[in-house]
Amino acid sequence: MPEVYKDGLGHALRATVLRPFTAVQRGAADRAGRYADAAALRAERDSLASFLVGQATLAAENRQLRQLLGFRERLTYSYVAAETTPTAGPGSAGTYRLSVGRGDGVQDGAPVITAEGLAGQVGQLGNESSTMLAWTHPDFAVSVMTVDGETYGVAEPLQSPSGGETMLGFSPVAFHTAPDTGTLIVTSGDGGVYPRGIPVGRVAASGKDPRGWQRIYYVRPLVSPAQLGHVLVLGPPVRAPSDQDLASAWGVRLTAPARADSAAPALSPDAATPAAPRTAPRTTTTTTRPAPRRPRPVDPTPELPGRPVFPGQPRVPEGLPAPSNPGGQGAARDTSRGA
């Protein structure tokens, strides 16, 4: 068949006899294309959601690390950076696993802090890892005070008056002291466990002791347990005993002078050098020795006539003047012998 008639005949067949078949084929292709596009879009949507969730966690972790990097430059204490993981099981409420231990220089009972404030304390110490007791643990307790130094006490985990939130109960507080709501509470340094000046939380509410002779203030901690991922475990001070006050690292100004605490350990001026025990000052007495006397010259030959000759002096013939003699005894002997 000539090429001129092929195109026309094919178009006529597709438009008449083959039209139902082509319509079914086109519908099947469109249906498969629509289903394929929906599956691809669903897969892309799931991938994007997973990426966004991962990015949110990464962004929060990056923000926390940036805060720690900027904060640790202001610390005057040695520290060890660690990662925390919540522990599971009965009786593990308020405990976290730290990725550092005795081999990293961590000490038993060392304070654990973040860029916000106090997070907890090292509980059980191992060689490569350790356990942290967060402020939500029932055995946690810290000596605290207000920044003005008018109110001192102990903060322990306690249920809030509403009953739904765990806070720190600040007690015992006498009736004549009344911290305002929002007052910053910091560590007092009593007991020698926590350095003075670490922010703990702010006063949220007040209550009364069941015995009725003191007040209880509920403190909302600055560190949230849900945000515990990267922490710093404190060591000894690195410069001087005055570094015991850590309030300046958080930009807090304490108006109360430090109280003397007999339970606090002696601080070392250098973190790499252990603190030496105190010894009584040694008193030394200096004695001045008298200057040595010059020996008097003695005539070695008193039985011979003439001028005496002392050791170390040249012999002088008769008729010549005698040399100068220390002590003047030679001249005296010449005079006596001449006479």
Side-chain angles (χ1 to χ4, degrees):
M1 182 179 290
E3 296 291 339
V4 179
Y5 301 106
K6 283 184 179 181
D7 292 339
L9 183 60
H11 180 69
L13 291 175
R14 286 192 297 270
T16 56
V17 180
L18 299 178
R19 184 174 182 179
F21 299 100
T22 56
V24 172
Q25 183 181 5
R26 188 181 302 112
D30 292 342
R31 190 181 303 108
R34 284 196 296 269
Y35 287 148
D37 292 342
L41 289 175
R42 189 179 299 109
E44 291 180 0
R45 184 197 63 185
D46 295 342
S47 300
L48 181 60
S50 176
F51 175 76
L52 290 177
V53 170
Q55 284 294 106
T57 304
L58 183 62
E61 183 178 1
N62 189 18
R63 191 182 310 111
Q64 186 180 12
L65 287 175
R66 286 179 179 272
Q67 291 177 352
L68 282 179
L69 287 174
F71 165 73
R72 67 182 187 180
E73 296 178 356
R74 303 189 298 269
L75 279 179
T76 55
Y77 272 61
S78 60
Y79 61 87
V80 179
E83 297 182 4
T84 61
T85 305
T87 57
S92 60
T95 59
Y96 291 80
R97 179 70 60 183
L98 295 177
S99 59
V100 294
R102 187 180 293 106
D104 302 296
V106 176
Q107 300 178 359
D108 190 13
V112 181
I113 63 173
T114 65
E116 288 77 20
L118 183 64
Q121 179 187 14
V122 175
Q124 298 177 357
L125 185 61
N127 292 328
E128 298 181 356
S129 64
S130 55
T131 302
M132 182 190 78
L133 302 182
W135 61 265
T136 56
H137 194 273
D139 295 336
F140 178 82
V142 55
S143 299
V144 295
M145 68 175 186
T146 55
V147 291
D148 55 6
E150 293 184 359
T151 307
Y152 285 80
V154 177
E156 297 177 345
L158 195 65
Q159 289 292 330
S160 63
S162 59
E165 182 182 3
T166 301
M167 295 185 179
L168 291 175
F170 179 23
S171 66
V173 180
F175 277 105
H176 68 277
T177 59
D180 298 330
T181 302
T183 301
L184 181 63
I185 305 299
V186 298
T187 56
S188 62
D190 295 341
V193 178
Y194 299 94
R196 185 173 183 262
I198 302 177
V200 176
R202 294 186 179 276
V203 176
S206 62
K208 184 183 294 186
D209 184 75
R211 290 172 292 183
W213 61 274
Q214 63 187 13
R215 296 179 186 269
I216 294 180
Y217 288 88
Y218 295 92
V219 177
R220 180 174 287 110
L222 299 175
V223 178
S224 173
Q227 299 177 351
L228 284 177
H230 299 270
V231 296
L232 299 179
V233 183
L234 286 183
V238 296
R239 282 199 290 269
S242 60
D243 299 334
Q244 188 180 5
D245 190 350
L246 278 176
S248 59
W250 282 272
V252 178
R253 182 180 178 85
L254 300 181
T255 58
R259 300 192 308 180
D261 185 11
S262 59
L267 297 177
S268 172
D270 189 355
T273 305
R278 294 183 177 180
T279 57
R282 182 181 299 176
T283 58
T284 58
T285 57
T286 57
T287 57
T288 57
R289 293 185 178 182
R293 291 186 177 183
R294 194 170 183 181
R296 293 172 53 185
V298 180
D299 187 2
T301 56
E303 68 279 359
L304 299 178
R307 182 182 298 116
V309 178
F310 298 96
Q313 292 185 357
R315 295 180 178 270
V316 181
E318 294 290 341
L320 295 180
S324 60
N325 185 12
Q329 293 187 4
R333 289 186 179 273
D334 290 345
T335 306
S336 62
R337 294 195 179 187

